[in-house]
Every structure is written in structure tokens, then in C-alpha cells.
Amino acid sequence: MSTPTLQHPPAGPKPERPGGGLLDAKVPASALPLALRKLDPRIMWRNPVMLIVEIGAVWTTFLTIRDPSAFSVLIAVWLWLTVVFANLAEAVAEGRGKAQADTLRKAKKDTTARRLLDGGREEEVPAGELRRGDVVVVEAGQIIPGDGDVIEGIASVDESAITGESAPVIRESGGDRSAVTGGTRVLSDRIIVKITQKPGESFIDTMIALVEGAARQKTPNEIALTILLAALTIIFLVATATMQPFAIFAKANNPGVADGAALDTHGVTGIVLVSLLVCLIPTTIGALLSAIGIAGMDRLVQRNVLAMSGRAVEAAGDVNTLLLDKTGTITLGNRQASGFLPVGDVTEEELADAARLSSLADETPEGRSIVVFAEQTHGLRERHPGGLDHAEWIAFAAQTRMSGVDLEDRRLRKGAASAVADWVRAHGGEVTPALGDVVDGISAAGGTPLVVGEATGGHARVLGVVHLKDVVKQGMRERFDHMRAMGIKTIMVTGDNPLTAEAIADEAGVDDFLAEATPEDKLAYIKAEQDGGRLVAMTGDGTNDAPALAQADVGVAMNTGTSAAKEAGNMVDLDSDPTKLIEIVEIGKQLLITRGALTTFSIANDIAKYFAIIPALFVTLYPGLDALNIMRLSSPQSAILSAVIFNALIIIALIPLALRGVRYRPSSASSLLNRNLGVYGLGGVIAPFLGIKLIDLLIQFIPGL
């Protein structure tokens, strides 16, 4: 007997997503026009720090036009470059997504849909006219016109336009693999799809908006940091505004000071004060803050994960508890044969041969695994007993819970222990007590026992037991150790009995498990964790997972799952890989660490720039301040210009780090803090001293300085 199967084309390598490398000159070159367009004050007001820099650049330009000098021209140029470089960081981050968006738009074609009407009639309509609740027919070779659920039929679908994976997938009505995505192609058979999307809100539309940055809203942490940076800017603005009155007062009380002291002649004073303000306010993190957020979303999209909000990405970085389904996530999902345990005087090879023959008609994954295991362990592939051509094959059925084969002089059955035991007794045999001990031992170990029986003539007997086990995926223990080092508690969720669940949990290395879990149990567990002040993440794909996905701080729905699950979660994994939740958490932590590290670096930078500009500003009034000029810069003008140039160049230097992210290493919060303070805090202090001094050595010979 045979079962019809869907034919799949051979899987090819997964194509790389477009985008350019960080060092590719084409990336910043293509982003430059967008960076210049962002100079519009109506756009700049969203970044208060850089808006102040732009206002300062405008004022400096006005003073330079009124009274030009080499110093004022160079200051004006570098202030404008500072603003452009800040916009370039954001534009490069957005530009990397635009390349992906262009590819996605190719998948969003003007498709014609075959909409079903009452009475079974069809009408052809543009896909853009479909509304939620419409029912369409899609056959082999046609494009699915919109996101929806398969309500009738089964088909092989090419989703490479969405996921980048060339291997087709099966979509069928019922169950948790009914969802289809608009823009994908049906390769075989015929399906009827109920549209679940609203016009303009398909997954492709969502992905395009996300990768272009158009749908990105500032997260709560990002808003809080923006407010902090704005507050620091106001403080430095007030402090800078007092410098000129202070200089006038100080010169009035120091009659011996020359007229050119404190750089207050030739219209330069306003330029110096603007330079001081720009160098002291946190321009570095102000310039890179938006790019860091966009890059975090981009890293998720590159892994085929749609984050419906930036809040979810940040929450992933703070997650304390992970809920992971056992089947398909921690284990392979299909129980596989792992051993043959004979009973009585039966040899293991005899049991393996009988188990293989009785499983040839079993099309379940368990049955196929028995055939493969017998062939691998006992070399039975080439053995064909006589009479096989006239055999009567007994397919596995849920009613009988057995499969087998009837030969001319021998009958074999394999299946559930009670079913095979009853079959043996019905054919005149007896079941030895030893069978119960073997079956109970396998069950206690978390496995599934399948008994093999044989009947010859008027005699029947039990040959032994096949040990099936849900195989834990390779490397899962190491990944859970990795999570534990990050301070994250892992919980395995399963419908298995506690005994089986405990065995799998011990083998996989999770911290705890939730056995015989119902949707209510999952929801209650998540609420209990949240009541304890912990953030929870989980994955799911079924309608029964929707309440828990909605309650979780990070709910990752599988794209193959139901529409209810995808609407309840705040992330959708287009690859439908439940283990990707671990990567999502790492991306979230990397986003938070990158933002914190560059904020630390930016604030530390100001210390060195303070030592460059303040002594240069007042050394002629207060010679004692020369002790603070520890870099021994060549002149006040050179010191100020060097600090402004460094302030602009450091933004460009840090763009690759902002887009790539600071490398995350699992460790405690205190260790991460110490590392950031050591690397980015101390580095932020040292780098400007070296950079400003080097720039001073290069520009000191410019005429007019």
C-alpha cells in the first residue's frame, strides 16, 4: 500500500539578504542624500541634541559670513559636518533596510485573486480589493493574494520570497500549520484560503515598513534617554551662556589683560561659545541613538523575525524567564526508535527483524524510525524474507493501535503494549510478567514502549519491546547553560505526564518544567512570574497559545501558526523556529548593552573635551588654568578646532559599532557593568586625549590659526 505524498523540489542554499557591508563605500554614499534631507528642522526636532548643534551651525555660519577668518570658516564647516554625520548614522541604518524592502516589494506583485462567491461561483478581483473574511481559491503555480488561513485542502508552498528559504513547506487546513502569507507561491495541489488581513496590513507591508524604519516608534527606554540628553543639553546651554558675561567681568577686573584675551575680538566669541556647547553636550550618543534602535530592529528582520513594537525588543533584553514548548523546540518532535529489548529467549536481531517487518506499512514517523534503526543497527536493509511478495500489509490505525504484516506462515504485530498483549492472548499465547517490567522501565525513563508480537500456527508470543524516545536536539543543553549564564530561567512546557516531562527536562538541562500543561496553566504560570517582578517570553503557534502569548512580555508567534496566535503575539517568526526565541533574547540584550556602552563612551568623551577647550578659553585671564592644558595644545584656536573636529569624526568612527552592536557575552549584570566602565568609560576618556592631540599636530600649521 502507498500513501500519496507531495513532491518537493530539491532544497537549495538559503540566499543572503541584501544589504551592504558596514565598510562598503556604496552604503554611506547612497545614504548621503537622505542624510542631507534630514537637515530639515521639521525632522531634526525629534533629536533635541542635534537640533541644538544645527542651530549652532547656522549661527556660526552667520558670524563667519559677517566676519570671515580661517578659524571661523573651519569651525562652521565642521559643525555642519557634525550634523550631517549624525544624520548619516541614521540614514545608513535605514538604507540597509531599504535594500531588503526593495527585494520584498518584488514579491508584492499585482496579483489577481479568485474570490469565491455564494453557490461556489468565482470572480477574479485585484488582490488589493480583498477584505478580511473573503475566501479565495489558489492552485499550483499561482500566487497567494493575501495573508490568511487554509480552510480546505493541502499544498506545498514556496515561501522563499518571505523567509529566504528555498525549501517549500506544507500548508493544510486545520491544526497549527494553516496560515499562509500573501506573495508566496503554491507549488502543488489546490487550497481554499480565508483572508485574515486588512488592506495594506499584510506581512509584506509590515516588513517593508519595519526595515525602512517608517514604522519604528521610539521605545520607552529610548524616550527616557532622549529626555535625559535634552536635560543635559539645557544644563550645558545655560552654563555656556554664562561664559561671555563671566569673561567680560573677569577682563574688567584684570586691567593688564590684552584686548584679544578670551578670544572676544573679530566676532569670534560667539563661535567659540557655540563650539564649547557642541563639544560639551552629549552629541555622540545623541547622533547614534536612533541608529542603534533601527539596527536592533534590522538584526531581527535579518533573522526573519517581525517585531511589532520596539518595546518588545527591549523587553527581550530584560527577560528573566523563557517558556519553551518541548515538542519541536527542545526535542525533534517525532519519537524515534532507540533500542530493541527482547523478552525471554528471543535474540535482539530476531526482535529487530520482526519490528522492521511489522513497521514497513506504518507511515507514521515512529514507524519509519523503527525501520531505519533496524537497518542501521542490524544491517537488515538487504534482507527480504521469502513470501514477502504475497504479504498482506496491516497499516497502523488509531482504532487498533497496531501495524503489522501477515505472511504465509507467520503473522507479526507491533503497537501499544495493551493492544499487542490482547492480540497475543487472542491467538492462543500468554504474556510473561517480564513484559510489564520492561514496559514500566521504559515509561519511567520518559520513553514510549511499543511491543512486538508474533503468531505462528496456533501459537503466539511476545518477542520484545521497541524503545521510542523523544530525542533532544543536539546542543540544547549547551544553549540552556548559555541562558543560565545570562541569568535567564528556562521552563519546558509539555502535555506529557510528569514522569516523561522530568526525564526530558533532565536530559535537556532546563531549569524547570510544566507538565500536562493546559492553556490555563500556561497563562497562570506567566502571571505568577510577572507578579514576582519577572519578565516572561514564550513561543506558540496554536489558537490555544493566544492567551499566553498576549500575556507574555515577549510573545513570539510562529508564522505557520494560526492567525489568532499571530495577532496575540508581539513578534512573528517567519521561519517558524521556536528555538529562535533564544536568539531574540540575545539581540534584545545586545541592543540594551550597545546603547549603554555608547552612552558611557559619549559622556566620558566630554571630560577630555573639557580639558581641551576650557583652558584655551580662559588661560589668558587666569594663567593658572594652563595646568589643565595637559595635552599641551599649540594654541587656543587649535585646541578648540581640534575638539570640534574630533567631536565630528568620532561619530563616523562609531557608526559601524552602533549598527553591528556591542558583542554580548553571557555574564552577570555587575560583570557587564564593570566591563562597560572599563572598556567604554575609560576608553571614552583616553580616546579624545589621543585624538585631539593628533588633530592639533596636523592643523597647527594652517595659516590663521
Side-chain angles (χ1 to χ4, degrees):
M1 60 179 296
S2 62
T3 301
T5 58
L6 295 169
Q7 298 300 314
H8 294 172
K14 189 170 183 174
E16 294 185 3
R17 286 194 175 274
L22 294 176
L23 300 180
D24 188 350
K26 295 180 181 179
V27 174
S30 61
L32 185 59
L34 178 59
L36 295 176
R37 288 197 297 272
K38 287 179 177 288
L39 292 175
D40 187 338
R42 292 171 297 181
I43 300 177
M44 292 294 297
W45 74 268
R46 292 179 296 182
N47 190 338
V49 176
M50 299 316 300
L51 177 61
I52 293 295
V53 178
E54 184 175 38
I55 294 173
V58 171
W59 177 243
T60 302
T61 303
F62 170 75
L63 294 178
T64 299
I65 293 174
R66 192 180 68 175
D67 192 0
S69 67
F71 175 76
S72 62
V73 169
L74 289 172
I75 289 290
V77 169
W78 281 100
L79 288 180
W80 279 111
L81 287 176
T82 302
V83 183
V84 172
F85 291 164
N87 289 342
L88 188 65
E90 184 175 358
V92 168
E94 293 178 0
R96 296 174 69 203
K98 288 184 183 297
Q100 298 181 36
D102 292 339
T103 301
L104 290 170
R105 283 195 179 93
K106 294 177 182 178
K108 189 182 178 184
K109 302 173 182 177
D110 295 330
T111 307
T112 300
R114 296 165 56 190
R115 183 163 58 187
L116 277 180
L117 303 175
D118 294 338
R121 294 182 297 110
E122 296 182 11
E123 68 170 350
E124 291 192 356
V125 297
E129 295 183 7
L130 292 175
R131 297 293 182 268
R132 178 179 289 183
D134 285 347
V135 177
V136 298
V137 179
V138 191
E139 296 183 340
Q142 295 180 344
I143 301 294
I144 296 174
D147 299 344
D149 292 326
V150 179
I151 59 175
E152 183 180 323
I154 179 173
S156 177
V157 179
D158 176 13
E159 295 186 345
S160 59
I162 305 296
T163 65
E165 180 61 61
S166 59
V169 295
I170 301 300
R171 295 291 176 260
E172 58 185 329
S173 60
D176 295 336
R177 295 189 176 273
S178 60
V180 291
T181 306
T184 58
R185 181 184 297 275
V186 173
L187 298 179
S188 68
D189 299 277
R190 176 181 184 269
I191 53 176
I192 297 178
V193 178
K194 184 176 182 179
I195 301 298
T196 58
Q197 73 178 50
K198 294 179 181 179
E201 295 184 6
S202 68
F203 273 164
I204 291 185
D205 293 318
T206 303
M207 287 183 71
I208 291 173
L210 284 171
V211 299
E212 286 186 326
R216 197 188 80 89
Q217 301 294 323
K218 286 189 176 181
T219 64
N221 285 349
E222 196 173 343
I223 292 173
L225 184 55
T226 300
I227 294 173
L228 174 62
L229 297 181
L232 290 175
T233 300
I234 293 173
I235 292 172
F236 283 118
L237 182 61
V238 172
T240 304
T242 64
M243 292 293 184
Q244 179 63 7
F246 181 77
I248 294 173
F249 172 80
K251 192 166 65 169
N253 287 276
N254 289 275
V257 177
D259 290 338
L263 299 173
D264 63 345
T265 60
H266 306 296
V268 176
T269 299
I271 295 177
V272 171
L273 293 179
V274 169
S275 302
L276 174 64
L277 175 64
V278 169
C279 289
L280 293 186
I281 63 177
T283 51
T284 306
I285 185 60
L288 299 174
L289 184 59
S290 181
I292 294 171
I294 294 174
M297 299 286 282
D298 181 62
R299 282 193 288 275
L300 278 177
V301 173
Q302 287 178 350
R303 288 165 175 79
N304 287 334
V305 177
L306 296 185
M308 301 310 176
S309 69
R311 182 190 295 267
V313 184
E314 282 190 351
D318 288 328
V319 158
N320 308 108
T321 305
L322 285 182
L323 266 65
L324 299 165
D325 279 334
K326 174 184 75 72
T327 305
T329 303
I330 297 173
T331 64
L332 293 176
N334 296 323
R335 293 170 297 174
Q336 297 186 356
S338 62
F340 296 114
L341 305 176
V343 174
D345 58 355
V346 178
T347 66
E348 184 175 331
E349 185 171 0
E350 288 175 338
L351 173 60
D353 184 51
R356 171 179 174 271
L357 286 173
S358 58
S359 299
L360 289 175
D362 186 354
E363 294 294 332
T364 66
E366 293 83 357
R368 290 194 293 268
S369 76
I370 293 174
V371 174
V372 172
F373 187 69
E375 292 175 348
Q376 290 176 342
T377 56
H378 293 278
L380 301 176
R381 183 183 300 273
E382 301 301 328
R383 295 177 58 177
H384 299 286
L388 205 60
D389 294 336
H390 303 287
E392 181 180 348
W393 300 102
I394 311 299
F396 176 82
Q399 293 80 8
T400 62
R401 296 186 297 160
M402 294 187 299
S403 66
V405 59
D406 290 345
L407 304 174
E408 292 182 356
D409 57 350
R410 185 186 187 200
R411 284 179 289 179
L412 299 171
R413 293 293 184 272
K414 175 226 65 192
S418 59
V420 175
D422 291 343
W423 181 84
V424 168
R425 293 189 187 99
H427 286 77
E430 294 184 0
V431 178
T432 63
L435 177 64
D437 296 336
V438 175
V439 169
D440 291 342
I442 293 175
S443 298
T448 300
L450 292 181
V451 176
V452 180
E454 178 189 52
T456 55
H459 176 71
R461 62 172 178 164
V462 172
L463 298 178
V465 184
V466 180
H467 184 179
L468 295 180
K469 62 182 298 186
D470 204 353
V471 179
V472 174
K473 291 181 178 179
Q474 187 174 5
M476 290 307 297
R477 176 173 286 276
E478 290 74 14
R479 299 194 76 172
F480 290 133
D481 290 341
H482 188 72
M483 292 287 104
R484 199 171 294 111
M486 294 163 61
I488 296 174
K489 180 182 178 182
T490 52
I491 310 296
M492 183 185 77
V493 181
T494 177
D496 291 339
N497 62 71
L499 201 61
T500 301
E502 183 177 10
I504 296 294
D506 289 341
E507 184 179 353
V510 296
D511 296 310
D512 203 353
F513 63 89
L514 189 62
E516 298 178 342
T518 64
E520 293 77 15
D521 293 333
K522 298 177 187 178
L523 187 61
Y525 192 95
I526 292 173
K527 288 182 177 179
E529 289 289 303
Q530 292 171 333
D531 290 341
R534 291 175 286 275
L535 270 66
V536 182
M538 76 161 288
T539 61
D541 58 3
T543 300
N544 62 346
D545 292 324
L549 286 171
Q551 180 66 34
D553 300 283
V554 180
V556 183
M558 302 295 101
N559 189 38
T560 57
T562 62
S563 298
K566 290 188 284 188
E567 290 175 0
N570 50 24
M571 290 188 185
V572 176
D573 177 19
L574 299 177
D575 291 332
S576 299
D577 177 9
T579 61
K580 198 178 291 184
L581 181 57
I582 298 174
E583 296 180 46
I584 292 172
V585 170
E586 291 180 341
I587 291 173
K589 286 189 176 295
Q590 185 183 41
L591 172 65
L592 296 178
I593 290 172
T594 301
R595 186 184 296 154
L598 292 183
T599 299
T600 302
F601 185 90
S602 177
I603 295 175
N605 253 270
D606 296 337
I607 297 175
K609 289 180 283 188
Y610 174 89
F611 280 96
I613 292 185
I614 296 299
L617 204 60
F618 293 104
V619 69
T620 52
L621 291 173
Y622 299 101
L625 287 177
D626 187 59
L628 295 178
N629 185 18
I630 57 179
M631 287 181 276
R632 316 314 301 172
L633 303 176
S634 57
S635 69
Q637 290 94 337
S638 177
I640 294 169
L641 181 58
S642 298
V644 171
I645 294 175
F646 176 84
N647 193 63
L649 293 180
I650 196 64
I651 295 173
I652 287 292
L654 291 176
I655 288 178
L657 182 61
L659 299 183
R660 184 180 64 249
V662 175
R663 184 179 179 184
Y664 173 70
R665 296 182 178 89
S667 57
S668 64
S670 59
S671 298
L672 288 174
L673 177 61
N674 292 334
R675 178 174 176 270
N676 275 353
L677 290 177
V679 176
Y680 297 98
L682 184 60
V685 172
I686 295 175
F689 280 94
L690 299 176
I692 291 173
K693 179 61 178 178
L694 178 61
I695 294 171
D696 175 73
L697 294 174
L698 295 175
I699 69 172
Q700 62 179 317
F701 301 108
I702 297 178
L705 292 183

